Amino acid sequence: MRLWGDDVEVDARIRDFTVGDDRILDHDLIPYDCRASIAHANMLGKVGILTSGEVRKVVAALKALLKKWEAGEFGMRPDHEDCHTAIEEYLTGKLGDVGKKIHTGRSRNDQVLVALRLYGLDALESIDDELQALLDVVRRFAGRHSKVAMPGYTHTRKAMPSSVGMWAGAIADALEDDRVLLATARNLLDQNPLGSGAGYGIPLPLDREMTTRELGFAKVQDNPIYCQHSRGKLEAVVLHALVHVLYDLNRAASDLVLFSMPEFGFFTLPEELCTGSSIMPQKKNPDVLELLRGRFHELLSLEQRLLSIGANLVHGYHRDMQLTKEPFMRGIAVAYDCLYVARSVFEKLEVDRERCKAAMSSELYATEEAYKLVAQGVPFRDAYLQVKKSLKKRGS
Amino acid sequence: MRLWGDDVEVDARIRDFTVGDDRILDHDLIPYDCRASIAHANMLGKVGILTSGEVRKVVAALKALLKKWEAGEFGMRPDHEDCHTAIEEYLTGKLGDVGKKIHTGRSRNDQVLVALRLYGLDALESIDDELQALLDVVRRFAGRHSKVAMPGYTHTRKAMPSSVGMWAGAIADALEDDRVLLATARNLLDQNPLGSGAGYGIPLPLDREMTTRELGFAKVQDNPIYCQHSRGKLEAVVLHALVHVLYDLNRAASDLVLFSMPEFGFFTLPEELCTGSSIMPQKKNPDVLELLRGRFHELLSLEQRLLSIGANLVHGYHRDMQLTKEPFMRGIAVAYDCLYVARSVFEKLEVDRERCKAAMSSELYATEEAYKLVAQGVPFRDAYLQVKKSLKKRGS
Amino acid sequence: MRLWGDDVEVDARIRDFTVGDDRILDHDLIPYDCRASIAHANMLGKVGILTSGEVRKVVAALKALLKKWEAGEFGMRPDHEDCHTAIEEYLTGKLGDVGKKIHTGRSRNDQVLVALRLYGLDALESIDDELQALLDVVRRFAGRHSKVAMPGYTHTRKAMPSSVGMWAGAIADALEDDRVLLATARNLLDQNPLGSGAGYGIPLPLDREMTTRELGFAKVQDNPIYCQHSRGKLEAVVLHALVHVLYDLNRAASDLVLFSMPEFGFFTLPEELCTGSSIMPQKKNPDVLELLRGRFHELLSLEQRLLSIGANLVHGYHRDMQLTKEPFMRGIAVAYDCLYVARSVFEKLEVDRERCKAAMSSELYATEEAYKLVAQGVPFRDAYLQVKKSLKKRGS
Amino acid sequence: MRLWGDDVEVDARIRDFTVGDDRILDHDLIPYDCRASIAHANMLGKVGILTSGEVRKVVAALKALLKKWEAGEFGMRPDHEDCHTAIEEYLTGKLGDVGKKIHTGRSRNDQVLVALRLYGLDALESIDDELQALLDVVRRFAGRHSKVAMPGYTHTRKAMPSSVGMWAGAIADALEDDRVLLATARNLLDQNPLGSGAGYGIPLPLDREMTTRELGFAKVQDNPIYCQHSRGKLEAVVLHALVHVLYDLNRAASDLVLFSMPEFGFFTLPEELCTGSSIMPQKKNPDVLELLRGRFHELLSLEQRLLSIGANLVHGYHRDMQLTKEPFMRGIAVAYDCLYVARSVFEKLEVDRERCKAAMSSELYATEEAYKLVAQGVPFRDAYLQVKKSLKKRGS
């Protein structure tokens, strides 16, 4: 048997190759393209390229399209290259000559850029909301367990006394620092590329400040070559922030997988976050945590891909840059889900105080023993050696 | 507006998180799971765990299911975790108690492993066919243009005389070496993990040689822990071979993008592999080549992800390993398409002999000039300096 | 012949394996460790663990050591594991029991962390200085050539009119955004981990605010588990910023390599940034630009390595984290050099106005032609098609 | 304090930037360059470009140089760009005009290629020897402990009975498969690029078969463009094989770190592979295993870098390719050390049979219980559910 599509006709295969995943990805970009197109139309009206009647028609048609999209009634056909074509075609179909005017003063290049940027800003807000919700839950968890002693490990070996609260607090502090990375990503995204055309500006007297205001951007991204250059680049800044969030969740999940082993038993995982085995009746597996752990690696590879695509190329748009859309949108979706899942974990996670307590064995206090000698005037390095020797004698 | 799915109910979101893309990916695995399940049932019959009547029923039901799948009538429901669950449920629905017996002597772990391996072997065969077809076309192209002189560049600067035939021949030789990598990947995949259970064997007297023969594997993959360990690892070997194929296509596409610029004009790209611009009426853009170039970076990042997922983990299956499925299947699909597209390129590519000839300017022959002096007895390093000096005098 | 060191004795090989490159890398950390050790000693004095006489001795010895280091007279011996051991041993050698007290209240873990962080902050300052110097040069270059027209390319095809000034301005704007990333990295690094011990705090009444002030950190990094968790993580934030700087330089270098080809001739590279060939007398190769381009890939892989090392591990220090030191210090050194080199490039780069002007061919103005029709009332999409048709007729 | 080298003079900084690490790396290439230069000289003699007297002198001088190198008396000066320049200069110094003739019929490009390839082949042989030595030790370890039962884990949870022998056998089988990858890398490296010149052949009647025989290559690498294209590419094939070796060691080390925790105690690590802590007197840390684990990530990032450097570039040598030398040589050195260290680990590793036995708790046998019911005629899925229910009742 062959799954290898030998029956697909040739031209269609090449068309599909150029379209890639855009037909799926672009579905989520439609509302952002509509918003940007409305701002563009209003601006064209203001500078006298469209009449106010034309603007009204275009804006009304875009708002109608948006309603359809929300109702699940607007999608792309297989022969649509991307959502931008589909939208322009819709407008031309509805409005005739007026629809053909909407692309005045812009290029697909800045059209895609601005839609992705609005999408990214919206996504970052949602992600920061979700991250704050997670932080709340983790901080509350840390508070509830601030007094629960638990061994601190270095080199995966018992080291010194720690606490469940200190552990959860570390995760919260890490995520707090990640919020700084998210804010930086937001700041850099917050510049309006609309009006940069294909990457060399538009020889028409556009009002870029106006679309910037209407779309809520902090400023115009002035240099048109930089607008294009920043495609992929700023997406990588966003994914970098998300990579860090998922790195922290990866490490937290790693702890939970280990310390919920019956051999340790410090944590009890809620049944709903575990699964059984198809063959072993006794199993309760921490699948959700393992997937949380694993997703980090997806994000890391997506970030790396984003900058690798454009490297070694001269400036100016290349179709290669289209391939930055999928890692960007995918990375955002994955991170968003992971944050939700992590919150569920911390909401339902239980601590077994008895097992934690039982694990507080004497070697965890060896450093304290040395400090007691220090307090009696023994230099630290000598105190250290003395305790080490006495531990050896006692056995261990 | 928010796209962030706040209306999806909680449990469903976590379920979706654990299922990931399996619902889509697994569609292509169904025939391979059926094949493996048939071999497993036959073997269970032989060793006396199923009666011959039971085997007949199970095999017939699996063949019927396969027919349905081919007709597009068998798919997964949203509540199916993966195709393996869907298939077992189908059998139990059709056959009652007999269906419940099919999972005797295997685990989901080896079931998935064997299906992916059969899929991979099939894919590698298709890819090698496609690669050979491409090689044929490239070799014929090289033959047709073996006498067409063209400047050879180093450091993106004219260096010495080359030819279109030598250029295409280099691509063919590179792809020929990639076939060695593909063959190695094939060899390593060609071991049967079915019967390794969850990763620690099955305490039943199974006949692993029998399923190995029936499924056409070269040998049993004996050690059950290694069977699981090789998940992700062998997929990475496959992707590595594909990364090399796409690396060669990336470099070839880079040449074609540059040397089909009107400024060079050595190559003429067929219209059907180019697109226009949404704003610039004059443009004929090499989109297909740019996407060919860009896809390499996707493969490179997928390969890296595959081994990164499992690193730092102890042996034994982890749910993280499920996340190796998507990069593996995706990488194969992308590479397969790229090979097809590259073949179209070389089938339709035209060489502009006039422009090539016109580019054969004198500095390309500077090394030959030096060798003429060498033939007269001048030591090479002195000849080199003499020519260099004379070139400077002449201008350039 | 074998280079494979079979004559190295066994124990030494394992010792070398654990030391890795630390003996070389740590050389640059010595001044930072001394600074931190002085602050630590002062603090131990204040909280009564050292007497003021002991503090004086330790501080004096550390300052003397620093002098020796500056004079190139302090280094590590082969049997020193790292610079921290070497320094403690020096103190013990000089001061006897007093030297043995310096490690009271700290662990190697926080000692390394704080030294690396001070190193990183210093490095970021130097890098930002160098980046500003580069920005100055690029902005001045852009100003000098703001009126020099040059073709703008998309898909490596002539697209619309651009200018040398716009091109250089894009690079400057990109680097300006990178300064935001550097500032973020700086902010996150600017927290004091000294006092966090091995990762679980120190059971002594240390004054962490005091060392924070003395070392000039913005704040205490409070949670000791997070201090350790941030090892590798914050280094990755720094490298991420540098990756972006090098990405911009990679793209700029790519432009310069292409457009300084005699076939284009827009730019003339200074002789001192080019090299010849060992065999071709005529060559003038843009080696410096090519290395600038290539170094980006080193940084990208170093960044990816930093987070990959720690992923899938439980919290708490692991010796694996030692391997984050080399990519961090190496990445900084490489980026610093690249900035210097890029500045030399822009200082010496010449623009060939004649060649630029000659390249401003008519197809670059096709969009403007369409806009002329738009001004006459033709809808843009129709104007576009009209110009396209007329261009086809004219030949091209 | 600044470490940032502001006192280095300008030209020197740019020179150092172009030389990079070559001055250090090239030290190890000298013997290979000498071997290749001797073969080249002999061939030039045979085809009549050098007289037999000249050949004798050149060969004698190269052999003398080699002796000096072995005695540590030949190295590069700061003003030598690389070892190839140093060697040619030495010959010219010793032999005058005859030395100036050695570079006839070759370019630095093929000279570097052939030296690196000979180096790589030698390295692969040493690595395979080391790998076989490791395999021997692991197989003997597996044999000694084939009967020692140990829990098998999935999802880091007790799953089914396993054994120490099965565990070690899995590592051996994985490494055995890696030998296939190493052999493939060897095969691909085993082609002679000498005579391909700068990448477009040499306009002289060279005898490439002769140098191929003399240097022991399996065949001529015929196409000169492919010779250059394979720079970086074949190095990546080598590193890929090494990445797999280190992946297996990473997983083995991960097991040993976990299961040598006192909480498990299945393995006892030899004192000489552990270290203590600077602050905690009781610690015995598995540093060597952790570094073994961590080095995998270095290799993975080096492999990725190798292909990333050349991607998106047109064919023909670029100076960027020089940057493939360091990851190649570094990756080999790191992998070689890791193999040695892993062998030490398995030579000295002890198994605690008592702790292993004590860990064989009843839930490991749940699948066997189900199979007992299957033997009584209960369909597997029902047997599974029955055991699951009874386990829940019993507690756990």
Side-chain angles (χ1 to χ4, degrees), chain C residues 76-335:
Chain C
M76 278 167 283
R77 284 199 319 271
D79 61 318
H80 283 137
E81 200 184 354
D82 56 22
C83 74
H84 315 290
T85 318
I87 293 171
E88 188 173 332
E89 194 192 285
Y90 173 90
L91 293 179
T92 307
K94 289 278 169 206
L95 309 175
D97 272 10
V98 175
K100 291 180 188 171
K101 290 181 177 177
I102 180 68
H103 207 59
T104 320
R106 85 178 172 195
S107 162
R108 187 103 55 92
N109 287 355
D110 60 338
Q111 188 181 1
V112 171
L113 261 183
V114 73
L116 278 167
R117 209 152 286 178
L118 291 169
Y119 167 88
L121 285 167
D122 218 359
L124 281 176
E125 202 183 316
S126 297
I127 279 174
D128 196 50
D129 288 351
E130 196 67 54
L131 183 50
Q132 284 189 66
L134 170 60
L135 263 167
D136 270 6
V137 171
V138 175
R139 291 258 184 246
R140 266 185 279 128
F141 179 90
R144 278 202 305 282
H145 302 92
S146 64
K147 298 278 167 52
V148 184
M150 164 185 165
Y153 289 80
T154 64
H155 302 266
T156 336
R157 298 288 177 270
K158 276 185 187 171
M160 288 174 74
S162 177
S163 73
V164 175
M166 192 195 281
W167 171 77
I171 295 158
D173 284 4
L175 293 171
E176 209 74 79
D177 275 358
D178 297 336
R179 293 193 63 214
V180 177
L181 297 175
L182 284 168
T184 300
R186 211 200 126 70
N187 282 350
L188 292 181
L189 275 196
D190 204 3
Q191 33 189 340
N192 179 20
L194 186 62
S196 61
Y200 300 100
I202 295 284
L204 290 172
L206 306 181
D207 183 345
R208 296 190 63 191
E209 290 293 347
M210 181 181 165
T211 55
T212 297
R213 272 194 313 276
E214 181 167 336
L215 293 169
F217 281 106
K219 63 171 184 176
V220 173
Q221 187 175 18
D222 193 48
N223 188 301
I225 299 180
Y226 180 47
C227 289
Q228 276 310 311
H229 176 60
S230 62
R231 175 110 195 246
K233 178 179 169 72
L234 295 189
E235 282 87 338
V237 174
V238 173
L239 287 207
H240 176 73
L242 301 180
V243 161
H244 275 269
V245 172
L246 264 66
Y247 181 70
D248 300 334
L249 299 182
N250 173 291
R251 302 293 298 266
S254 299
D255 290 328
L256 290 174
V257 168
L258 186 71
F259 296 123
S260 67
M261 285 178 84
E263 286 87 341
F264 294 90
F266 304 160
F267 297 104
T268 311
L269 303 178
E271 291 279 346
E272 57 264 56
L273 300 182
C274 296
T275 64
S277 151
S278 77
I279 176 174
M280 296 167 285
Q282 86 279 13
K283 295 281 290 191
K284 184 183 155 193
N285 294 325
D287 292 57
V288 167
L289 292 169
E290 292 172 298
L291 289 168
L292 206 50
R293 187 172 63 186
R295 288 291 181 192
F296 160 74
H297 300 281
E298 181 170 358
L299 264 281
L300 185 64
S301 78
L302 295 177
E303 184 203 348
Q304 173 247 308
R305 191 195 306 172
L306 272 178
L307 291 184
S308 176
I309 288 173
N312 296 358
L313 296 181
V314 295
H315 276 93
Y317 179 75
H318 309 276
R319 186 66 177 262
D320 321 52
M321 302 324 277
Q322 183 192 356
L323 301 176
T324 61
K325 199 198 280 182
E326 191 250 339
F328 180 53
M329 295 179 72
R330 168 86 181 179
I332 283 171
V334 166

Side-chain angles (χ1 to χ4, degrees), chain B residues 153-160 256-258 260-264 269 276-287 290 293 304 308-313 363-364 366-367 370-371 380-381 384 387-388 391, chain C residues 153-160 256-258 260-264 269 276-287 290 293 304 308-313 363-364 366-367 370-371 380-381 384 387-388 391:
Chain B
Y153 288 80
T154 64
H155 302 265
T156 336
R157 297 289 178 269
K158 275 186 188 170
M160 288 174 75
L256 290 173
V257 168
L258 186 70
S260 67
M261 285 179 84
E263 287 86 341
F264 295 90
L269 303 178
S277 151
S278 77
I279 177 173
M280 295 167 285
Q282 85 280 14
K283 295 281 289 191
K284 185 184 155 194
N285 294 326
D287 292 57
E290 292 172 299
R293 187 171 64 185
Q304 174 247 308
S308 176
I309 287 173
N312 296 0
L313 296 181
E363 74 266 40
L364 288 162
T367 307
Y371 284 141
F380 174 72
R381 193 52 68 210
Y384 169 96
V387 174
K388 187 166 192 163
L391 281 170
Chain C
Y153 289 80
T154 64
H155 302 266
T156 336
R157 298 288 177 270
K158 276 185 187 171
M160 288 174 74
L256 290 174
V257 168
L258 186 71
S260 67
M261 285 178 84
E263 286 87 341
F264 294 90
L269 303 178
S277 151
S278 77
I279 176 174
M280 296 167 285
Q282 86 279 13
K283 295 281 290 191
K284 184 183 155 193
N285 294 325
D287 292 57
E290 292 172 298
R293 187 172 63 186
Q304 173 247 308
S308 176
I309 288 173
N312 296 358
L313 296 181
E363 74 266 40
L364 289 162
T367 306
Y371 284 140
F380 174 71
R381 192 52 69 210
Y384 169 97
V387 174
K388 187 167 193 162
L391 281 170

Side-chain angles (χ1 to χ4, degrees), chain D residues 125-306:
Chain D
E125 203 183 314
S126 297
I127 279 173
D128 196 50
D129 288 351
E130 196 68 54
L131 183 50
Q132 285 190 64
L134 170 60
L135 262 167
D136 270 6
V137 171
V138 176
R139 291 257 183 248
R140 265 185 280 130
F141 180 90
R144 278 201 305 283
H145 302 92
S146 64
K147 299 275 165 54
V148 183
M150 164 185 165
Y153 287 80
T154 65
H155 302 265
T156 335
R157 296 289 177 270
K158 275 186 188 171
M160 289 174 74
S162 178
S163 73
V164 175
M166 192 196 281
W167 171 77
I171 294 159
D173 283 4
L175 293 171
E176 208 73 80
D177 275 359
D178 297 337
R179 292 193 64 213
V180 176
L181 297 175
L182 283 168
T184 299
R186 210 201 127 70
N187 281 349
L188 291 181
L189 274 197
D190 204 3
Q191 32 189 343
N192 179 20
L194 186 62
S196 62
Y200 300 99
I202 295 284
L204 288 174
L206 305 180
D207 183 345
R208 297 189 63 192
E209 291 293 348
M210 183 180 163
T211 53
T212 297
R213 272 194 313 277
E214 183 168 336
L215 293 169
F217 281 107
K219 64 170 183 175
V220 173
Q221 187 174 19
D222 194 48
N223 188 301
I225 300 179
Y226 180 47
C227 289
Q228 276 310 311
H229 176 60
S230 61
R231 177 113 194 244
K233 177 180 169 71
L234 296 188
E235 281 88 339
V237 173
V238 173
L239 287 207
H240 176 72
L242 301 180
V243 161
H244 275 270
V245 172
L246 264 65
Y247 181 70
D248 300 333
L249 299 183
N250 173 291
R251 303 293 298 266
S254 299
D255 290 328
L256 289 173
V257 168
L258 186 70
F259 295 123
S260 66
M261 287 178 83
E263 286 87 341
F264 294 89
F266 305 160
F267 297 103
T268 312
L269 303 178
E271 291 279 347
E272 58 263 56
L273 300 181
C274 296
T275 63
S277 151
S278 77
I279 175 173
M280 296 166 285
Q282 86 279 16
K283 295 279 291 190
K284 185 182 154 194
N285 294 325
D287 291 57
V288 167
L289 293 168
E290 292 172 299
L291 289 168
L292 205 51
R293 187 171 64 184
R295 286 291 181 195
F296 160 74
H297 300 281
E298 180 170 359
L299 263 282
L300 186 64
S301 78
L302 294 177
E303 184 202 350
Q304 174 247 309
R305 191 195 304 173
L306 271 179

Side-chain angles (χ1 to χ4, degrees), chain A residues 41 44 49-51 53-55 57-58 61 87-104, chain C residues 373-374 376-386:
Chain A
L44 290 181
I49 291 173
L50 296 187
T51 66
E54 287 171 336
V55 172
K57 279 185 198 162
V58 166
I87 293 171
E88 187 173 332
E89 194 192 285
Y90 173 89
L91 291 180
T92 308
K94 288 278 169 206
L95 308 176
D97 272 11
V98 176
K100 292 180 188 170
K101 290 181 175 175
I102 180 68
H103 208 60
T104 320
Chain C
L373 295 173
V374 165
Q376 294 158 25
V378 185
F380 174 71
R381 192 52 69 210
D382 293 337
Y384 169 97
L385 289 169
Q386 226 170 293

